[in-house]
Amino acid sequence: MIEKKEGIEGKKEQESDKIQMDFLNIVSHELKTPLTPMIAYLSLLSKGKLGSLTEKQRGALEKITRNAKLLRRLIWDMLDLSRMETGKMKFHMQEIDLIEIIRDVMRDMETFAKEKNITVESNLRYLPRTEGDRERIAQVITNLLDNAIKFTQENGTVMIETVKKGYTLVVAVSDTGIGIPKHKLDKIFDKFSQVDNKVTRQYSGTGLGLTICKGIVKAHGGNITVESMLGEGSTFYVRLPYKSLGKPTEMFTEVIKG
Ligand code: ADP
């Protein structure tokens, strides 16, 4: 969220933050508009629905599609960031089943994990249904799993676990990947922050994913933290408060104990 700042200078800074965010919003919308039909046509071309393709053409199309999708990711992230910073991100709160969301996301990530020969394991212990925005929580888990796979070498392992601690529902995503240096641990949730930010960096990404995850989890009244050892791997913890879906908490006592 854009911070409220004191004094004339503070006010000026706040206005400038708002202009930046409005600009980001307009630019991302303008970029999104032509990209959507481009990706749709690329998909038709790749599937051979507009005529058969040679191997060389198919290879080139795959590269274009991959890059167009990266661009789309960046645009979506910029839109989300500007919505979040201006307090315009909408949350559709409903009853959600975290385990079901995790299973769906794991299914979606299967191809990416297979490409790198990474085993995705899970230990999904019972969690009661709670209140949240299904799409946004799926976005958080997708981002964490995507990072875990992306920053883990081939043949590595990624693990997703759930546990209930009192009234807190915890989702932990661990990997055996490259890890994060200690001095960068508290920075990686900042916007555009990447451990390797060289132009020649090895991993693609926007440096916005974790900032957006943090905002989404915070909007649910929870928090997100990380533990990591350089060269050994990382674990991200998402903690969400159990919400009693508008009913008196006592009615859920059994569920919580379960
Ligand atoms: P992106 O992945 O698009 O660069 P994120 O905001 O998701 O942006 O992550 C920010 C940075 O945090 C990454 O660029 C990377 O340096 C570091 N990071 C995130 N997850 C992991 C992970 N599982 N292992 C190692 N580094 C990570």
Side-chain angles (χ1 to χ4, degrees), residues 73 77 143-152 158 173-181 184-185 187-197 201 203-213 226 228 230 233-236:
R73 175 78 269 144
D77 282 355
N143 198 83
L144 295 182
L145 269 182
D146 186 74
N147 278 348
I149 298 169
K150 183 165 79 175
F151 294 108
T152 297
V158 167
V173 179
S174 336
D175 62 62
T176 55
I178 61 170
I180 301 160
K184 292 271 183 174
L185 277 179
K187 304 253 179 351
I188 57 165
F189 294 97
D190 295 348
K191 5 178 205 213
F192 299 111
S193 162
Q194 296 180 309
V195 171
D196 179 5
N197 54 11
R201 68 176 186 270
Y203 304 98
S204 63
T206 64
L208 287 176
L210 287 178
T211 313
I212 295 163
C213 287
V226 59
S228 187
L230 197 57
S234 313
T235 303
F236 285 81

Short mmCIF file of all heavy atoms in Angstrom, two decimals, residues 73 77 143-152 158 173-181 184-185 187-197 201 203-213 226 228 230 233-236, ligand 1:
data_model
loop_
_atom_site.label_atom_id
_atom_site.label_comp_id
_atom_site.label_asym_id
_atom_site.label_seq_id
_atom_site.Cartn_x
_atom_site.Cartn_y
_atom_site.Cartn_z
N ARG A 73 3.08 -12.60 -17.96
CA ARG A 73 3.29 -12.72 -16.50
C ARG A 73 3.70 -11.36 -15.92
O ARG A 73 3.19 -10.92 -14.90
CB ARG A 73 4.37 -13.79 -16.28
CG ARG A 73 4.89 -14.05 -14.91
CD ARG A 73 3.96 -14.90 -14.05
NE ARG A 73 3.05 -14.08 -13.29
CZ ARG A 73 1.81 -14.38 -13.00
NH1 ARG A 73 1.27 -15.50 -13.44
NH2 ARG A 73 1.05 -13.58 -12.29
N ASP A 77 1.63 -9.17 -13.26
CA ASP A 77 2.25 -8.81 -11.99
C ASP A 77 2.22 -7.29 -11.79
O ASP A 77 1.96 -6.81 -10.68
CB ASP A 77 3.70 -9.32 -11.91
CG ASP A 77 3.76 -10.81 -11.61
OD1 ASP A 77 2.70 -11.40 -11.36
OD2 ASP A 77 4.87 -11.38 -11.61
N ASN A 143 2.85 -19.40 -7.16
CA ASN A 143 4.11 -18.64 -7.19
C ASN A 143 5.20 -19.33 -6.37
O ASN A 143 6.35 -19.43 -6.80
CB ASN A 143 3.85 -17.22 -6.68
CG ASN A 143 4.96 -16.30 -7.09
OD1 ASN A 143 4.96 -15.78 -8.20
ND2 ASN A 143 5.94 -16.14 -6.24
N LEU A 144 4.82 -19.84 -5.18
CA LEU A 144 5.82 -20.49 -4.32
C LEU A 144 6.32 -21.79 -4.95
O LEU A 144 7.52 -22.07 -4.93
CB LEU A 144 5.24 -20.75 -2.92
CG LEU A 144 4.89 -19.50 -2.11
CD1 LEU A 144 4.38 -19.89 -0.73
CD2 LEU A 144 6.11 -18.57 -1.98
N LEU A 145 5.39 -22.56 -5.52
CA LEU A 145 5.82 -23.82 -6.16
C LEU A 145 6.65 -23.54 -7.41
O LEU A 145 7.65 -24.21 -7.66
CB LEU A 145 4.60 -24.66 -6.53
CG LEU A 145 4.09 -25.65 -5.49
CD1 LEU A 145 2.92 -26.44 -6.04
CD2 LEU A 145 5.19 -26.63 -5.06
N ASP A 146 6.23 -22.53 -8.17
CA ASP A 146 6.95 -22.17 -9.38
C ASP A 146 8.39 -21.75 -9.04
O ASP A 146 9.34 -22.22 -9.66
CB ASP A 146 6.20 -21.01 -10.07
CG ASP A 146 6.79 -20.65 -11.40
OD1 ASP A 146 6.59 -21.42 -12.34
OD2 ASP A 146 7.47 -19.61 -11.50
N ASN A 147 8.54 -20.92 -8.00
CA ASN A 147 9.88 -20.52 -7.56
C ASN A 147 10.68 -21.73 -7.09
O ASN A 147 11.86 -21.88 -7.41
CB ASN A 147 9.80 -19.51 -6.41
CG ASN A 147 9.57 -18.10 -6.90
OD1 ASN A 147 9.67 -17.81 -8.09
ND2 ASN A 147 9.23 -17.20 -5.99
N ALA A 148 10.03 -22.59 -6.28
CA ALA A 148 10.74 -23.75 -5.72
C ALA A 148 11.29 -24.62 -6.86
O ALA A 148 12.45 -25.07 -6.81
CB ALA A 148 9.79 -24.57 -4.84
N ILE A 149 10.50 -24.80 -7.91
CA ILE A 149 10.95 -25.64 -9.04
C ILE A 149 12.02 -24.88 -9.84
O ILE A 149 13.06 -25.42 -10.20
CB ILE A 149 9.75 -26.05 -9.94
CG1 ILE A 149 8.77 -26.90 -9.14
CG2 ILE A 149 10.23 -26.79 -11.19
CD1 ILE A 149 7.43 -27.16 -9.82
N LYS A 150 11.74 -23.58 -10.06
CA LYS A 150 12.66 -22.77 -10.88
C LYS A 150 14.06 -22.69 -10.26
O LYS A 150 15.05 -22.80 -10.95
CB LYS A 150 12.06 -21.36 -11.01
CG LYS A 150 12.83 -20.41 -11.88
CD LYS A 150 11.99 -19.20 -12.26
CE LYS A 150 11.90 -18.18 -11.14
NZ LYS A 150 11.17 -16.96 -11.55
N PHE A 151 14.11 -22.53 -8.91
CA PHE A 151 15.41 -22.33 -8.26
C PHE A 151 16.01 -23.64 -7.72
O PHE A 151 16.86 -23.61 -6.84
CB PHE A 151 15.30 -21.28 -7.16
CG PHE A 151 14.99 -19.90 -7.70
CD1 PHE A 151 13.75 -19.33 -7.52
CD2 PHE A 151 15.95 -19.20 -8.43
CE1 PHE A 151 13.45 -18.07 -8.04
CE2 PHE A 151 15.66 -17.94 -8.95
CZ PHE A 151 14.41 -17.37 -8.76
N THR A 152 15.53 -24.78 -8.24
CA THR A 152 16.09 -26.07 -7.84
C THR A 152 16.71 -26.73 -9.07
O THR A 152 16.12 -26.71 -10.16
CB THR A 152 14.99 -26.95 -7.21
OG1 THR A 152 14.53 -26.31 -6.02
CG2 THR A 152 15.50 -28.34 -6.85
N VAL A 158 11.00 -31.03 -4.35
CA VAL A 158 10.20 -29.93 -3.79
C VAL A 158 9.12 -30.59 -2.94
O VAL A 158 8.60 -31.64 -3.28
CB VAL A 158 9.58 -29.10 -4.95
CG1 VAL A 158 8.50 -28.17 -4.44
CG2 VAL A 158 10.66 -28.30 -5.67
N VAL A 173 6.30 -24.63 1.78
CA VAL A 173 6.84 -25.10 0.49
C VAL A 173 8.37 -25.11 0.60
O VAL A 173 8.99 -24.07 0.79
CB VAL A 173 6.41 -24.17 -0.68
CG1 VAL A 173 7.00 -24.65 -2.00
CG2 VAL A 173 4.88 -24.09 -0.77
N SER A 174 8.97 -26.31 0.55
CA SER A 174 10.42 -26.41 0.68
C SER A 174 11.04 -26.93 -0.60
O SER A 174 10.40 -27.68 -1.35
CB SER A 174 10.83 -27.40 1.77
OG SER A 174 9.84 -27.56 2.72
N ASP A 175 12.29 -26.57 -0.80
CA ASP A 175 13.01 -27.11 -1.96
C ASP A 175 14.45 -27.42 -1.58
O ASP A 175 14.93 -27.03 -0.52
CB ASP A 175 12.95 -26.11 -3.13
CG ASP A 175 13.62 -24.78 -2.83
OD1 ASP A 175 14.84 -24.78 -2.57
OD2 ASP A 175 12.92 -23.74 -2.84
N THR A 176 15.11 -28.16 -2.47
CA THR A 176 16.52 -28.50 -2.25
C THR A 176 17.37 -27.70 -3.24
O THR A 176 18.35 -28.20 -3.78
CB THR A 176 16.74 -30.02 -2.46
OG1 THR A 176 16.25 -30.33 -3.79
CG2 THR A 176 16.02 -30.85 -1.44
N GLY A 177 16.94 -26.46 -3.47
CA GLY A 177 17.55 -25.66 -4.53
C GLY A 177 18.74 -24.81 -4.11
O GLY A 177 19.43 -25.13 -3.14
N ILE A 178 18.91 -23.70 -4.81
CA ILE A 178 20.14 -22.89 -4.66
C ILE A 178 20.19 -22.11 -3.35
O ILE A 178 21.24 -21.67 -2.94
CB ILE A 178 20.30 -21.90 -5.85
CG1 ILE A 178 19.12 -20.92 -5.94
CG2 ILE A 178 20.46 -22.65 -7.16
CD1 ILE A 178 19.34 -19.78 -6.92
N GLY A 179 19.04 -21.94 -2.69
CA GLY A 179 19.00 -21.20 -1.43
C GLY A 179 19.16 -19.71 -1.63
O GLY A 179 19.37 -19.22 -2.75
N ILE A 180 19.04 -18.97 -0.52
CA ILE A 180 19.08 -17.50 -0.58
C ILE A 180 20.12 -17.02 0.44
O ILE A 180 20.09 -17.46 1.59
CB ILE A 180 17.69 -16.91 -0.23
CG1 ILE A 180 16.64 -17.45 -1.22
CG2 ILE A 180 17.69 -15.39 -0.23
CD1 ILE A 180 15.22 -17.36 -0.74
N PRO A 181 21.02 -16.11 0.04
CA PRO A 181 22.01 -15.63 1.02
C PRO A 181 21.31 -14.92 2.18
O PRO A 181 20.29 -14.25 1.98
CB PRO A 181 22.87 -14.64 0.22
CG PRO A 181 22.34 -14.59 -1.16
CD PRO A 181 21.16 -15.51 -1.28
N LYS A 184 20.04 -11.37 2.10
CA LYS A 184 18.99 -11.04 1.13
C LYS A 184 17.62 -11.52 1.61
O LYS A 184 16.59 -11.23 0.99
CB LYS A 184 19.28 -11.72 -0.22
CG LYS A 184 20.48 -11.18 -0.93
CD LYS A 184 20.09 -10.02 -1.82
CE LYS A 184 21.29 -9.51 -2.59
NZ LYS A 184 20.99 -8.50 -3.54
N LEU A 185 17.63 -12.28 2.71
CA LEU A 185 16.38 -12.93 3.15
C LEU A 185 15.22 -11.95 3.37
O LEU A 185 14.10 -12.23 2.99
CB LEU A 185 16.62 -13.74 4.42
CG LEU A 185 17.18 -15.14 4.19
CD1 LEU A 185 17.41 -15.84 5.51
CD2 LEU A 185 16.26 -15.96 3.31
N LYS A 187 14.97 -9.04 2.02
CA LYS A 187 14.79 -8.15 0.86
C LYS A 187 13.90 -8.79 -0.22
O LYS A 187 13.29 -8.07 -1.00
CB LYS A 187 16.15 -7.84 0.21
CG LYS A 187 17.17 -7.24 1.14
CD LYS A 187 17.37 -5.77 0.82
CE LYS A 187 18.32 -5.02 1.66
NZ LYS A 187 18.88 -5.58 2.85
N ILE A 188 13.86 -10.12 -0.25
CA ILE A 188 13.22 -10.77 -1.40
C ILE A 188 11.72 -10.52 -1.51
O ILE A 188 11.13 -10.76 -2.55
CB ILE A 188 13.50 -12.30 -1.46
CG1 ILE A 188 13.04 -12.96 -0.18
CG2 ILE A 188 14.96 -12.59 -1.76
CD1 ILE A 188 12.95 -14.46 -0.32
N PHE A 189 11.11 -9.98 -0.44
CA PHE A 189 9.68 -9.66 -0.51
C PHE A 189 9.46 -8.23 -1.03
O PHE A 189 8.33 -7.82 -1.23
CB PHE A 189 9.00 -9.85 0.85
CG PHE A 189 8.99 -11.29 1.29
CD1 PHE A 189 9.94 -11.79 2.16
CD2 PHE A 189 8.01 -12.16 0.81
CE1 PHE A 189 9.94 -13.13 2.56
CE2 PHE A 189 8.00 -13.49 1.19
CZ PHE A 189 8.97 -13.97 2.06
N ASP A 190 10.55 -7.48 -1.23
CA ASP A 190 10.43 -6.10 -1.75
C ASP A 190 10.18 -6.14 -3.25
O ASP A 190 10.63 -7.07 -3.94
CB ASP A 190 11.72 -5.30 -1.51
CG ASP A 190 12.00 -5.10 -0.03
OD1 ASP A 190 11.08 -5.37 0.78
OD2 ASP A 190 13.12 -4.70 0.31
N LYS A 191 9.50 -5.06 -3.78
CA LYS A 191 9.22 -5.09 -5.21
C LYS A 191 10.50 -5.06 -6.05
O LYS A 191 11.45 -4.38 -5.69
CB LYS A 191 8.31 -3.96 -5.69
CG LYS A 191 7.94 -2.94 -4.75
CD LYS A 191 7.08 -1.86 -5.34
CE LYS A 191 7.30 -0.65 -4.49
NZ LYS A 191 6.27 0.23 -4.30
N PHE A 192 10.43 -5.80 -7.14
CA PHE A 192 11.51 -5.93 -8.13
C PHE A 192 12.81 -6.47 -7.54
O PHE A 192 13.88 -6.27 -8.12
CB PHE A 192 11.78 -4.59 -8.84
CG PHE A 192 10.58 -4.08 -9.59
CD1 PHE A 192 9.90 -2.94 -9.16
CD2 PHE A 192 10.10 -4.75 -10.72
CE1 PHE A 192 8.77 -2.48 -9.83
CE2 PHE A 192 8.98 -4.28 -11.40
CZ PHE A 192 8.31 -3.16 -10.96
N SER A 193 12.72 -7.13 -6.37
CA SER A 193 13.94 -7.63 -5.76
C SER A 193 14.25 -9.05 -6.24
O SER A 193 13.42 -9.95 -6.16
CB SER A 193 13.78 -7.60 -4.24
OG SER A 193 14.73 -8.42 -3.65
N GLN A 194 15.44 -9.23 -6.75
CA GLN A 194 15.90 -10.55 -7.18
C GLN A 194 17.32 -10.74 -6.66
O GLN A 194 18.11 -9.80 -6.71
CB GLN A 194 15.88 -10.65 -8.71
CG GLN A 194 14.47 -10.53 -9.25
CD GLN A 194 14.41 -10.62 -10.76
OE1 GLN A 194 15.14 -9.91 -11.43
NE2 GLN A 194 13.55 -11.47 -11.28
N VAL A 195 17.64 -11.93 -6.15
CA VAL A 195 18.98 -12.16 -5.61
C VAL A 195 19.99 -11.93 -6.73
O VAL A 195 20.99 -11.22 -6.56
CB VAL A 195 19.10 -13.57 -5.01
CG1 VAL A 195 20.55 -13.87 -4.64
CG2 VAL A 195 18.20 -13.69 -3.78
N ASP A 196 19.72 -12.50 -7.90
CA ASP A 196 20.59 -12.27 -9.05
C ASP A 196 19.87 -11.27 -9.95
O ASP A 196 18.90 -11.62 -10.62
CB ASP A 196 20.81 -13.61 -9.79
CG ASP A 196 21.69 -13.41 -11.02
OD1 ASP A 196 22.19 -12.29 -11.22
OD2 ASP A 196 21.86 -14.38 -11.77
N ASN A 197 20.33 -10.02 -9.95
CA ASN A 197 19.62 -9.02 -10.76
C ASN A 197 20.43 -8.55 -11.96
O ASN A 197 20.17 -7.50 -12.53
CB ASN A 197 19.16 -7.83 -9.88
CG ASN A 197 20.32 -7.24 -9.11
OD1 ASN A 197 21.46 -7.58 -9.38
ND2 ASN A 197 20.04 -6.37 -8.17
N ARG A 201 21.21 -12.67 -15.98
CA ARG A 201 20.83 -13.67 -14.98
C ARG A 201 20.23 -14.93 -15.64
O ARG A 201 19.62 -14.88 -16.70
CB ARG A 201 19.88 -13.08 -13.95
CG ARG A 201 18.54 -12.73 -14.48
CD ARG A 201 17.65 -12.25 -13.35
NE ARG A 201 16.32 -12.04 -13.86
CZ ARG A 201 15.91 -10.90 -14.37
NH1 ARG A 201 16.73 -9.89 -14.43
NH2 ARG A 201 14.69 -10.79 -14.84
N TYR A 203 17.88 -17.01 -14.30
CA TYR A 203 16.48 -17.35 -14.07
C TYR A 203 15.57 -16.21 -14.53
O TYR A 203 15.81 -15.05 -14.20
CB TYR A 203 16.24 -17.60 -12.57
CG TYR A 203 17.15 -18.66 -12.02
CD1 TYR A 203 18.31 -18.32 -11.34
CD2 TYR A 203 16.85 -20.01 -12.19
CE1 TYR A 203 19.17 -19.29 -10.84
CE2 TYR A 203 17.69 -20.99 -11.69
CZ TYR A 203 18.85 -20.62 -11.02
OH TYR A 203 19.69 -21.58 -10.53
N SER A 204 14.51 -16.58 -15.26
CA SER A 204 13.60 -15.53 -15.70
C SER A 204 12.65 -15.18 -14.56
O SER A 204 12.48 -15.97 -13.63
CB SER A 204 12.80 -16.03 -16.90
OG SER A 204 12.01 -17.12 -16.49
N GLY A 205 12.06 -14.02 -14.61
CA GLY A 205 11.12 -13.62 -13.55
C GLY A 205 11.02 -12.13 -13.48
O GLY A 205 11.74 -11.41 -14.18
N THR A 206 10.10 -11.66 -12.63
CA THR A 206 9.83 -10.23 -12.57
C THR A 206 10.28 -9.61 -11.24
O THR A 206 10.36 -8.39 -11.13
CB THR A 206 8.31 -9.97 -12.70
OG1 THR A 206 7.66 -10.56 -11.57
CG2 THR A 206 7.75 -10.56 -13.97
N GLY A 207 10.52 -10.44 -10.24
CA GLY A 207 10.86 -9.90 -8.92
C GLY A 207 9.65 -9.29 -8.24
O GLY A 207 9.78 -8.54 -7.27
N LEU A 208 8.46 -9.63 -8.74
CA LEU A 208 7.24 -9.08 -8.15
C LEU A 208 6.39 -10.14 -7.46
O LEU A 208 5.53 -9.83 -6.65
CB LEU A 208 6.39 -8.40 -9.24
CG LEU A 208 6.90 -7.07 -9.77
CD1 LEU A 208 6.02 -6.57 -10.89
CD2 LEU A 208 6.96 -6.05 -8.66
N GLY A 209 6.65 -11.40 -7.82
CA GLY A 209 5.80 -12.50 -7.33
C GLY A 209 5.66 -12.51 -5.81
O GLY A 209 4.54 -12.55 -5.28
N LEU A 210 6.79 -12.45 -5.10
CA LEU A 210 6.73 -12.55 -3.63
C LEU A 210 6.10 -11.30 -3.00
O LEU A 210 5.45 -11.40 -1.96
CB LEU A 210 8.13 -12.79 -3.04
CG LEU A 210 8.70 -14.19 -3.27
CD1 LEU A 210 10.11 -14.29 -2.69
CD2 LEU A 210 7.82 -15.27 -2.63
N THR A 211 6.30 -10.14 -3.65
CA THR A 211 5.67 -8.91 -3.14
C THR A 211 4.16 -9.08 -3.19
O THR A 211 3.44 -8.73 -2.24
CB THR A 211 6.07 -7.70 -4.03
OG1 THR A 211 7.46 -7.75 -4.26
CG2 THR A 211 5.66 -6.39 -3.41
N ILE A 212 3.68 -9.63 -4.31
CA ILE A 212 2.24 -9.82 -4.47
C ILE A 212 1.73 -10.90 -3.50
O ILE A 212 0.70 -10.72 -2.85
CB ILE A 212 1.91 -10.14 -5.94
CG1 ILE A 212 2.27 -8.91 -6.80
CG2 ILE A 212 0.45 -10.52 -6.13
CD1 ILE A 212 2.39 -9.19 -8.27
N CYS A 213 2.51 -11.98 -3.36
CA CYS A 213 2.13 -13.03 -2.40
C CYS A 213 1.97 -12.44 -1.00
O CYS A 213 0.99 -12.71 -0.31
CB CYS A 213 3.21 -14.11 -2.31
SG CYS A 213 3.28 -15.18 -3.73
N VAL A 226 10.32 -16.80 5.31
CA VAL A 226 11.22 -17.75 4.62
C VAL A 226 12.38 -18.13 5.53
O VAL A 226 12.84 -17.33 6.34
CB VAL A 226 11.74 -17.13 3.29
CG1 VAL A 226 12.49 -15.84 3.52
CG2 VAL A 226 12.61 -18.11 2.51
N SER A 228 16.18 -20.18 4.89
CA SER A 228 16.96 -20.70 3.77
C SER A 228 18.42 -20.89 4.15
O SER A 228 18.93 -20.20 5.03
CB SER A 228 16.85 -19.74 2.60
OG SER A 228 17.47 -20.28 1.46
N LEU A 230 22.04 -21.14 1.99
CA LEU A 230 22.63 -21.01 0.66
C LEU A 230 23.19 -22.36 0.20
O LEU A 230 23.91 -23.03 0.94
CB LEU A 230 23.75 -19.95 0.70
CG LEU A 230 24.18 -19.41 -0.65
CD1 LEU A 230 23.02 -18.79 -1.41
CD2 LEU A 230 25.28 -18.36 -0.47
N GLY A 233 18.87 -25.06 0.13
CA GLY A 233 17.44 -25.00 -0.15
C GLY A 233 16.72 -23.97 0.70
O GLY A 233 17.33 -23.32 1.56
N SER A 234 15.43 -23.83 0.43
CA SER A 234 14.63 -22.81 1.11
C SER A 234 13.28 -23.39 1.52
O SER A 234 12.79 -24.33 0.89
CB SER A 234 14.34 -21.64 0.18
OG SER A 234 15.50 -21.23 -0.48
N THR A 235 12.69 -22.80 2.55
CA THR A 235 11.31 -23.13 2.92
C THR A 235 10.53 -21.84 3.11
O THR A 235 10.97 -20.95 3.86
CB THR A 235 11.25 -23.95 4.22
OG1 THR A 235 12.04 -25.12 4.06
CG2 THR A 235 9.82 -24.37 4.55
N PHE A 236 9.42 -21.74 2.41
CA PHE A 236 8.51 -20.59 2.57
C PHE A 236 7.31 -21.05 3.37
O PHE A 236 6.74 -22.12 3.08
CB PHE A 236 8.07 -20.05 1.20
CG PHE A 236 9.15 -19.26 0.50
CD1 PHE A 236 10.16 -19.91 -0.20
CD2 PHE A 236 9.17 -17.88 0.57
CE1 PHE A 236 11.17 -19.20 -0.83
CE2 PHE A 236 10.17 -17.15 -0.05
CZ PHE A 236 11.17 -17.80 -0.75
P1 ADP B 1 10.90 -13.81 -9.48
O1 ADP B 1 10.91 -15.26 -9.13
O2 ADP B 1 9.92 -13.47 -10.56
O3 ADP B 1 12.27 -13.24 -9.72
P2 ADP B 1 9.85 -13.39 -6.80
O4 ADP B 1 9.34 -12.15 -6.16
O5 ADP B 1 8.93 -14.56 -6.87
O6 ADP B 1 10.35 -12.96 -8.23
O7 ADP B 1 11.18 -13.82 -6.06
C1 ADP B 1 12.16 -12.82 -5.77
C2 ADP B 1 13.53 -13.43 -5.69
O8 ADP B 1 13.64 -14.24 -4.52
C3 ADP B 1 13.88 -14.36 -6.85
O9 ADP B 1 14.35 -13.66 -7.97
C4 ADP B 1 15.00 -15.20 -6.20
O10 ADP B 1 16.21 -14.49 -6.21
C5 ADP B 1 14.53 -15.33 -4.75
N1 ADP B 1 13.76 -16.59 -4.53
C6 ADP B 1 12.42 -16.73 -4.46
N2 ADP B 1 12.08 -18.02 -4.21
C7 ADP B 1 13.25 -18.71 -4.14
C8 ADP B 1 13.58 -20.08 -3.91
N3 ADP B 1 12.64 -21.00 -3.70
N4 ADP B 1 14.90 -20.42 -3.91
C9 ADP B 1 15.86 -19.48 -4.10
N5 ADP B 1 15.62 -18.17 -4.33
C10 ADP B 1 14.33 -17.79 -4.36
#
